[in-house]
Amino acid sequence: MAEPDRLPAAELPPGTVRRVGDWAVGNRGSNDGEDRYFAVSRRCRHQLADLAEGSIDAEGCLVCPWHQSRYDVRTGEMVEGPRGFLGYHGPTPGYTQLVAAYSRILRLRVRRATRAGDDVVLE
Ligand code: FES
C-alpha cells in the first residue's frame, strides 16, 4: 500500500498553503488558535493557476494567485469568480459570474487533512 501524502505540521502554520503532490494543503486556522487543515486539488478551475501558491483570506477561503477567485476549501466550490483573465486584472462583469457558475458544478476535489503526530496527513 502506498504511503499517505503528508508534510510536517511545522511547515503549515495558520495562514499558509503548501504543495503536496497534486494537492494544495493549507491551514486556515481559527480565532481560538486552533489549526484547521484542508487539502484541495491544485489547479484553479478558471485558467489552471497553481492554488498551492494562493493565499487564505479573512473568511478562510483559498484565493487564487492569478485572478483572485475564492474557494470554499470545505466543499471545493468557487464562491467568487475571477477578477480578470490571462494577463488582464480588473472588472469583468458577466464573465466573473459565468466562471463562478460553471465552477459551482466543476468543484475542486477535496481530501481530508488531519494532524497525526508531527505531520499533517491527507486521507
Ligand atoms: S486562474 Fe485562478 S482565477 Fe484565474
Side-chain angles (χ1 to χ4, degrees), residues 109-120:
R109 289 175 292 143
V110 176
R111 281 175 82 179
R112 225 167 101 81
T114 55
R115 179 83 182 244
D118 291 337
D119 290 343
V120 175

Side-chain angles (χ1 to χ4, degrees), residues 91-102:
T92 53
Y95 178 77
T96 297
Q97 288 75 18
L98 175 70
V99 173
Y102 79 66

Side-chain angles (χ1 to χ4, degrees), residues 44-49 51 64-69 71 78 81-85:
C44 180
R45 292 304 196 201
H46 179 221
Q47 290 180 327
L48 307 179
L51 294 172
C64 178
W66 283 5
H67 312 106
Q68 292 72 51
S69 285
Y71 289 94
M78 183 188 283
R83 298 181 198 156
F85 52 86

